[in-house]
Amino acid sequence: MNILFIMFDQLRFDYLSCAGHPHLHTPHIDSIAEKGVRFTRAYVQSPVCGASRMSCYTGRYASSHGAQYNGYPLRVGEITLGDHLRGAGMGCWLIGKTHMVVDAKGMERLGLARDSVVGARQAECGFDVWQRDDGLWAEGPDGFYDAKRSPYNEFLKSKGYPGDNPWNDFANSAAQEGDIASGWFMANADKPANIAEEDSETPWLTSEVIRFIEQAEGPWCAHVSYIKPHWPYIVPAPYHDMYGPNHVPAATRHPSERIDPHPVYGAFMNNVIGQAFARDEVRQKVIPAYMGLIKQIDDQMGRLFGFLKETGRMDDTMIVITSDHGDYLGDHWLGEKDLFHDPSVKVPLIIYDPRAGADATRGTTSDALVQAIDLAPTFLEAAGGEPAGHILEGRSLRPLLHGETPEDWRDFAISEYDYANSPACTKLGVTPRDARLFMVADKRWKFMHAEGGFRPMLFDLENDPQELVDLGANAAHADVIALMYERLGKWGRRMSQRVTRSDADIEAARGKGRRKGILLGVFEGADVDDHLTVKYRGPIPQNGPDQGR
Amino acid sequence: MNILFIMFDQLRFDYLSCAGHPHLHTPHIDSIAEKGVRFTRAYVQSPVCGASRMSCYTGRYASSHGAQYNGYPLRVGEITLGDHLRGAGMGCWLIGKTHMVVDAKGMERLGLARDSVVGARQAECGFDVWQRDDGLWAEGPDGFYDAKRSPYNEFLKSKGYPGDNPWNDFANSAAQEGDIASGWFMANADKPANIAEEDSETPWLTSEVIRFIEQAEGPWCAHVSYIKPHWPYIVPAPYHDMYGPNHVPAATRHPSERIDPHPVYGAFMNNVIGQAFARDEVRQKVIPAYMGLIKQIDDQMGRLFGFLKETGRMDDTMIVITSDHGDYLGDHWLGEKDLFHDPSVKVPLIIYDPRAGADATRGTTSDALVQAIDLAPTFLEAAGGEPAGHILEGRSLRPLLHGETPEDWRDFAISEYDYANSPACTKLGVTPRDARLFMVADKRWKFMHAEGGFRPMLFDLENDPQELVDLGANAAHADVIALMYERLGKWGRRMSQRVTRSDADIEAARGKGRRKGILLGVFEGADVDDHLTVKYRGPIPQNGPDQGR
């Protein structure tokens, strides 16, 4: 079996027709849901690209792998999905974005060269690279364009798009009277990107995936990682005007949310992004483009799945469709991601498992509490590897895919967010160490703890599914809050770093202490089996008369 | 300045005359207390050799470094004291024991060879090795004698001691009618080890320290790490009969402790070691030998400190005297270490700081809550390095050594214990993952949480300084227990793995996002400074008429 692990960037859980979107029709993605299981309570471990992805690629919570925000290097030696899968005989390839930043100091400390196989994998979060492209080839006074890191940009140049950064000037900008109309300016979101549709990012990456599969020798796991529908919010024709303001759902927000909000929530509401998305004109410009990007994605999925069918790969390939986090798009007076309302922290997760064991669940949904870190153990199990519960903190989803309902499935999900880099942190006067948020969610309640002396937040998901009423200061819910703190405490005490010794190793070693010749608590020889004391009895060794003493 | 970081193994906090022992006179160690500060509330981060030492050598809690028990490898790439000190221009050397186990799988994954400088440091927990000797050259059916790891044994052979393992046959055994009388049998503890005193382990290692210092070029940190007074409890003449049963303090224990004890405590009480030390004859044999080993240690310290004075090193060398944990010796019906009563988790800690700033505190004691992980940051500061609070979880003791009383000093200390390998775990039916204990201690209370659904333990250190009355099931103390759980929760949420990005890095990077050319929340050009949008405006690049589009 192979694994096609498809991740979109910033794709909301509810912007698919299979998830009930009223205007967006995504038949190709829906076709996978029809063949597999769609999880309706899938949470990312951190609602921001870098940290969320490092959790997916290590199968570990953000606090466990330590790369808690964009641009924080993943420490050298952290064990990755690639390490696990290769150990089980499955290749692990990257086609697209990871947001990985190399731990250059750690590599230097260990003398690892980037151009060695080991060094390259360390630098690429454990993947072997087919194409690495993180998108975002921004320029400016301190821009970070890097030809080696931008195969898409190089592709555009090879196609004749002029200038140093056609990613910026064409793929992510419109043309307006001969001038660049940048996608960075949301006012331009309703314009068509100044690029042939087939040359835009999503079709380019899809072509790379097909090219990879055509030559791949299995078993393989391919992490197919699209930058879209992530901003800049701009899409080429014909997708730019498929949707208009009349297709924009009303924002999930209420004026009462702005009255005495939790201080951290309030600070995010008041940042430039929150203020922008509070404006209806911004939503009406951006959301149709966002929908167009998703429609384009779905069409490309149609192309990809068609290829799989033609080549027989649909029968031996597990297909996973998910996202690294969502997008507020003005809900709750916020833009971007960051906090723990559903539009941000809940993601689409659809898994098609070709094995017969999954026949019973095809076309169903599961409302189990699942986490992005469950994917790595799911893949490892599919690859036939030994479970690695001392390293991987998620749980294999196989039982859920195969119609089993494990009684001991988790009863709460965890997500984290480190906002130490944000202006909110400065504004609130919080130290980097205290700028951390924790979500604990079960099926009824969603709780948020903020370090730094703040009160918690709490939503009643049953009576307030839109998460509009924060009960965190409500004394009537003290019991729920206490329970959530108890769960958070249990999670905080979890065994997360004993990565060099498995539970099975420990169990196998039990009781062997005495056999190593270490005798503790023995008063005299009669207290212990003779065979353990063979060296501790008998005549003193002699070298002869000149034994030197 | 140099640092002499002296660690004994299994030395109780109260078996020194400066700590009030009624019979044991340790003038040389006391002389350092007279020149420095003796800490009366110093806790190790785990009361077992391997985990405690890995905490000392990384400056991190056991749950953070993951080597939570003896024999658990320290994960490759974990940043060590040696890494920190060398980064500050100070060498970091090992002379003696570490209990380090190499992460062989991790080394292989990263392609690190043991015989490279990098590989050797990884394998030796960051130290450059002058001598590595962990003692315990046990033999038996699965013995683990290794000539490369036992320079002391090789020394004995070079002196003419016969046989394969003179460590066992002479240094740790007595002679009885021409037969080996093994120190592993506590009944032999009152006999003299069958070895010339000057050839025994403590003098040998002291000679190695002197030999190291004679050739060392500074600045250096030398971790001088003695195996003694660790078992086997046996010592050469004249130390074997300096003390007798009349010098053995009454055991700190009460029959009431055996009535309905906390299940984990009860399981340890009932193991073979606890049962042995419950017998008076065991204490009366063992404790005089333990005291003799300490007396020998103190004499060797006299030799070492005399050498430092003669060579002028006393003026430029910080001297630290501590232990990796204590020894119950029958207190609380227990032997060995493992749990969190003071005889086990509290250690001697004496620091002599030659700097003038420490003149005000010479000869004083400090009752501040200090932890073994405070040593690494203390040393790093002494070496002039940048603080590394994102990696090191302790705090520099310099303020306390220099007479300052930081208002924000910690108000609780943490220790942990992983008993997954013990027979107690099997007997209690606890999984390896749940076989973990946590201590939270302040100056008034000591609390223990056990995973796995057990009630906590609680001692009132003010009214019950001997820790004889467990209040963990006492409803009257629910508030204290709640406070302790709150502290444990806060600790559990600590930022422990963001080791690749310092707080200072984060603060320096704040607000730079926009300068990188990423513009979020910008509706139109007018919303943002012109210089940030220079690439997003202006004419579209042209290649001429054949630009390929």
Side-chain angles (χ1 to χ4, degrees):
Chain A
M1 189 157 72
N2 307 306
I3 299 167
L4 200 56
F5 170 25
I6 303 172
M7 181 177 280
F8 299 101
D9 197 317
Q10 205 140 333
L11 175 63
R12 282 173 64 120
F13 74 97
D14 54 353
Y15 271 58
L16 298 172
S17 42
C18 59
H21 196 282
H23 302 296
L24 191 52
H25 188 46
T26 52
H28 303 294
I29 291 175
D30 294 1
S31 75
I32 301 301
E34 285 155 20
K35 284 199 251 294
V37 177
R38 185 169 65 83
F39 293 90
T40 60
R41 282 195 178 95
Y43 292 106
V44 291
Q45 271 47 76
S46 185
V48 65
C49 296
S52 176
R53 288 162 179 274
M54 295 308 115
S55 282
C56 288
Y57 308 153
T58 62
R60 292 159 59 74
Y61 292 102
S63 279
S64 300
H65 61 64
Q68 298 166 209
Y69 194 71
N70 291 340
Y72 292 11
L74 184 73
R75 59 189 285 177
V76 69
E78 186 73 12
I79 302 167
T80 62
L81 178 62
D83 294 315
H84 292 288
L85 294 185
R86 281 189 295 272
M90 179 180 273
C92 188
W93 292 85
L94 170 68
I95 309 166
K97 166 170 174 166
T98 60
H99 222 117
M100 170 71 185
V101 175
V102 63
D103 175 11
K105 278 189 203 166
M107 295 272 281
E108 191 187 338
R109 201 168 59 242
L110 296 183
L112 297 177
R114 293 274 298 253
D115 57 2
S116 65
V117 172
V118 166
R121 285 174 178 163
Q122 287 296 313
E124 297 290 0
C125 194
F127 291 106
D128 287 321
V129 174
W130 179 260
Q131 291 289 8
R132 160 90 187 259
D133 195 301
D134 275 8
L136 291 187
W137 305 115
E139 285 186 314
D142 298 314
F144 51 86
Y145 177 79
D146 172 359
K148 281 181 297 187
R149 278 274 163 279
S150 56
Y152 173 61
N153 213 14
E154 297 304 302
F155 160 79
L156 291 179
K157 289 182 194 173
S158 76
K159 294 275 287 186
Y161 288 87
D164 286 340
N165 190 350
W167 176 92
N168 179 70
D169 301 339
F170 296 91
N172 288 282
S173 292
Q176 191 170 35
E177 296 166 12
D179 282 354
I180 289 173
S182 175
W184 288 111
F185 304 140
M186 295 185 287
N188 294 324
D190 58 351
K191 299 185 177 73
N194 185 19
I195 191 167
E197 191 270 333
E198 64 270 22
D199 294 341
S200 60
E201 285 171 289
T202 298
W204 169 76
L205 197 75
T206 306
S207 300
E208 287 298 317
V209 178
I210 291 170
R211 201 164 66 83
F212 168 81
I213 297 174
E214 281 173 339
Q215 59 78 56
E217 293 181 8
W220 48 260
C221 171
H223 178 45
V224 174
S225 184
Y226 290 91
I227 180 75
K228 293 300 173 186
H230 190 277
W231 38 260
Y233 301 109
I234 192 162
V235 62
Y239 298 100
H240 75 294
D241 65 357
M242 281 188 183
Y243 308 96
N246 55 320
H247 300 111
V248 173
T252 301
R253 65 190 181 200
H254 193 277
S256 62
E257 290 179 286
R258 302 174 107 167
I259 300 167
D260 191 23
H262 187 283
V264 177
Y265 177 31
F268 274 86
M269 255 191 237
N270 287 321
N271 69 17
V272 289
I273 305 167
Q275 287 174 340
F277 276 92
R279 291 156 60 186
D280 282 338
E281 65 181 327
V282 170
R283 296 188 76 245
Q284 285 169 15
K285 284 272 190 176
V286 164
I287 291 175
Y290 182 77
M291 292 169 67
L293 287 164
I294 296 168
K295 185 66 181 171
Q296 184 188 29
I297 280 168
D298 191 67
D299 285 344
Q300 290 299 316
M301 290 300 99
R303 183 180 157 219
L304 176 58
F305 301 149
F307 167 79
L308 293 178
K309 273 176 213 144
E310 284 161 25
T311 54
R313 291 286 75 76
M314 193 58 90
D315 303 325
D316 62 7
T317 303
M318 174 182 278
I319 301 176
V320 176
I321 296 174
T322 191
S323 179
D324 59 348
H325 53 74
D327 192 327
Y328 273 107
L329 293 176
D331 288 352
H332 307 289
W333 312 98
L334 295 168
E336 275 274 274
K337 44 264 182 177
D338 308 315
L339 300 185
F340 301 123
H341 298 90
D342 273 358
S344 171
V345 75
K346 194 156 123 176
V347 289
L349 177 63
I350 301 167
I351 304 183
Y352 158 67
D353 180 346
R355 293 173 289 191
D359 287 349
T361 62
R362 303 199 186 286
T364 65
T365 59
S366 166
D367 71 348
L369 290 164
V370 301
Q371 305 192 137
I373 56 174
D374 296 337
L375 293 175
T378 305
F379 299 167
L380 180 57
E381 188 178 12
E386 286 291 306
H390 59 306
I391 305 170
L392 298 170
E393 298 188 288
R395 284 185 63 160
S396 169
L397 299 171
R398 191 208 51 78
L400 303 176
L401 295 170
H402 289 199
E404 299 161 22
T405 48
E407 280 182 25
D408 65 342
W409 195 256
R410 70 171 64 86
D411 50 9
F412 58 93
I414 294 279
S415 192
E416 304 176 71
Y417 187 67
D418 182 326
Y419 67 101
N421 284 62
S422 80
C425 181
T426 314
K427 196 181 295 177
L428 293 165
V430 170
T431 64
R433 186 149 310 214
D434 278 346
R436 293 179 299 127
L437 311 176
F438 299 85
M439 177 195 87
V440 183
D442 61 21
K443 292 185 178 180
R444 172 70 192 272
W445 303 99
K446 189 186 280 181
F447 163 89
M448 181 197 86
H449 166 73
E451 291 296 313
F454 300 108
R455 70 167 175 84
M457 290 178 81
L458 182 71
F459 296 107
D460 180 341
L461 301 178
E462 197 169 294
N463 295 307
D464 174 28
Q466 293 197 311
E467 307 173 296
L468 295 170
V469 183
D470 175 8
L471 303 168
N474 186 324
H477 295 89
D479 284 358
V480 175
I481 289 171
L483 172 66
M484 292 306 203
Y485 270 113
E486 195 181 308
R487 289 168 165 178
L488 186 58
K490 186 168 179 57
W491 174 82
R493 297 188 306 266
R494 78 197 178 281
M495 198 289 298
S496 69
Q497 303 300 326
R498 198 224 305 133
V499 296
T500 62
R501 182 64 63 117
S502 72
D503 292 20
D505 285 345
I506 290 170
E507 279 166 355
R510 272 191 196 150
K512 299 247 175 94
R514 286 203 156 182
R515 271 192 274 154
K516 282 190 180 164
I518 293 179
L519 301 180
L520 294 179
V522 175
F523 188 67
E524 53 199 350
D527 292 350
V528 67
D529 283 350
D530 266 9
H531 79 279
L532 294 175
T533 66
V534 63
K535 289 283 183 178
Y536 307 144
R537 293 173 289 116
I540 298 164
Q542 301 288 328
N543 265 356
D546 59 339
Q547 62 170 292
R549 304 191 49 230
Chain B
M1 188 156 71
N2 307 307
I3 299 168
L4 199 56
F5 170 25
I6 303 171
M7 181 177 281
F8 298 101
D9 197 315
Q10 204 139 330
L11 175 62
R12 280 173 65 120
F13 75 97
D14 54 353
Y15 270 59
L16 298 172
S17 43
C18 59
H21 195 282
H23 301 298
L24 192 51
H25 188 46
T26 51
H28 302 296
I29 291 176
D30 294 2
S31 76
I32 302 301
E34 284 155 20
K35 285 199 253 291
V37 176
R38 184 168 66 82
F39 292 91
T40 60
R41 281 196 182 93
Y43 292 106
V44 289
Q45 271 47 76
S46 186
V48 67
C49 296
S52 175
R53 288 162 180 273
M54 296 308 116
S55 282
C56 288
Y57 308 153
T58 62
R60 292 159 61 72
Y61 292 102
S63 278
S64 301
H65 62 64
Q68 296 165 210
Y69 194 70
N70 291 340
Y72 292 10
L74 184 73
R75 61 189 282 176
V76 70
E78 185 73 14
I79 303 168
T80 61
L81 178 62
D83 295 315
H84 291 290
L85 293 184
R86 282 190 294 271
M90 179 180 274
C92 188
W93 292 84
L94 169 67
I95 309 168
K97 166 169 174 165
T98 61
H99 222 117
M100 170 72 183
V101 174
V102 63
D103 176 10
K105 279 189 203 166
M107 294 272 282
E108 190 187 338
R109 202 170 57 245
L110 296 183
L112 297 177
R114 293 274 297 254
D115 58 1
S116 66
V117 172
V118 165
R121 285 174 178 163
Q122 288 295 313
E124 296 291 359
C125 194
F127 290 106
D128 287 322
V129 174
W130 180 261
Q131 291 289 8
R132 160 90 186 262
D133 194 299
D134 274 9
L136 291 186
W137 305 115
E139 285 185 311
D142 298 316
F144 51 86
Y145 177 78
D146 173 357
K148 281 182 295 186
R149 278 275 164 278
S150 58
Y152 172 63
N153 214 15
E154 298 303 303
F155 159 79
L156 291 180
K157 291 183 194 172
S158 77
K159 295 274 287 188
Y161 287 88
D164 285 340
N165 190 349
W167 177 90
N168 179 70
D169 301 340
F170 297 91
N172 288 282
S173 291
Q176 191 172 32
E177 297 165 11
D179 282 355
I180 288 173
S182 175
W184 288 111
F185 303 141
M186 295 186 287
N188 294 324
D190 58 351
K191 299 184 177 72
N194 186 18
I195 192 167
E197 191 272 330
E198 64 269 23
D199 294 340
S200 61
E201 285 172 287
T202 299
W204 168 76
L205 198 74
T206 307
S207 299
E208 287 299 316
V209 179
I210 290 169
R211 202 164 67 82
F212 168 81
I213 297 174
E214 281 173 340
Q215 59 78 55
E217 292 181 6
W220 48 261
C221 171
H223 177 47
V224 175
S225 186
Y226 291 92
I227 181 73
K228 294 300 174 186
H230 190 276
W231 40 259
Y233 301 109
I234 192 162
V235 62
Y239 298 101
H240 74 293
D241 65 357
M242 280 188 183
Y243 309 97
N246 56 320
H247 299 110
V248 173
T252 301
R253 65 190 181 201
H254 192 276
S256 62
E257 290 179 287
R258 301 174 109 167
I259 300 166
D260 192 24
H262 187 284
V264 178
Y265 176 31
F268 275 87
M269 251 190 239
N270 288 321
N271 69 16
V272 288
I273 306 168
Q275 288 174 340
F277 276 92
R279 292 156 61 186
D280 281 339
E281 63 180 328
V282 170
R283 296 187 75 245
Q284 284 169 16
K285 285 271 190 179
V286 164
I287 292 177
Y290 183 77
M291 291 169 69
L293 287 164
I294 296 169
K295 185 66 182 172
Q296 184 188 29
I297 279 167
D298 191 67
D299 286 343
Q300 291 298 314
M301 290 299 98
R303 182 180 158 219
L304 176 58
F305 302 150
F307 167 78
L308 293 178
K309 275 177 209 140
E310 283 162 25
T311 54
R313 290 287 75 76
M314 193 58 92
D315 302 326
D316 62 8
T317 303
M318 175 182 278
I319 300 176
V320 176
I321 296 173
T322 191
S323 180
D324 59 348
H325 54 74
D327 192 327
Y328 274 107
L329 293 176
D331 290 353
H332 307 288
W333 312 98
L334 295 169
E336 274 275 272
K337 44 264 182 179
D338 309 315
L339 301 184
F340 301 124
H341 298 90
D342 273 359
S344 171
V345 75
K346 195 155 121 175
V347 288
L349 178 60
I350 301 169
I351 304 182
Y352 158 66
D353 180 347
R355 293 173 290 192
D359 288 348
T361 62
R362 302 201 186 283
T364 64
T365 59
S366 166
D367 71 348
L369 291 163
V370 302
Q371 305 191 136
I373 55 173
D374 296 337
L375 293 175
T378 304
F379 299 167
L380 181 57
E381 187 177 12
E386 287 290 306
H390 60 307
I391 305 170
L392 298 170
E393 298 188 287
R395 285 186 61 161
S396 170
L397 299 172
R398 191 206 53 76
L400 302 177
L401 295 171
H402 289 197
E404 299 162 22
T405 48
E407 280 183 25
D408 65 343
W409 195 256
R410 70 172 62 87
D411 49 12
F412 59 93
I414 295 279
S415 191
E416 303 175 70
Y417 187 67
D418 182 325
Y419 67 101
N421 283 60
S422 80
C425 180
T426 314
K427 196 180 296 177
L428 293 166
V430 170
T431 65
R433 187 150 310 213
D434 278 347
R436 293 179 299 128
L437 312 176
F438 300 85
M439 178 197 84
V440 182
D442 61 21
K443 293 185 178 181
R444 173 70 191 272
W445 304 99
K446 187 187 281 178
F447 163 90
M448 182 196 84
H449 166 73
E451 291 297 313
F454 300 108
R455 69 168 175 84
M457 290 179 81
L458 182 71
F459 295 107
D460 180 342
L461 302 178
E462 199 171 290
N463 296 307
D464 174 29
Q466 293 196 311
E467 306 173 297
L468 296 170
V469 183
D470 176 7
L471 302 167
N474 187 324
H477 295 91
D479 285 359
V480 175
I481 289 170
L483 171 66
M484 292 306 203
Y485 269 114
E486 195 181 307
R487 288 169 166 178
L488 186 58
K490 186 169 178 57
W491 174 81
R493 299 187 306 266
R494 77 198 179 281
M495 197 290 298
S496 70
Q497 302 301 326
R498 198 227 301 135
V499 295
T500 61
R501 182 64 63 116
S502 71
D503 292 21
D505 285 346
I506 290 170
E507 280 166 356
R510 272 194 195 147
K512 299 249 174 92
R514 286 203 155 182
R515 270 190 274 153
K516 284 191 178 162
I518 293 179
L519 302 179
L520 294 179
V522 175
F523 189 68
E524 52 199 352
D527 292 349
V528 67
D529 283 352
D530 266 8
H531 79 277
L532 295 175
T533 66
V534 63
K535 290 282 182 180
Y536 307 142
R537 293 174 288 116
I540 298 164
Q542 301 287 330
N543 266 355
D546 59 340
Q547 62 170 294
R549 302 187 51 229

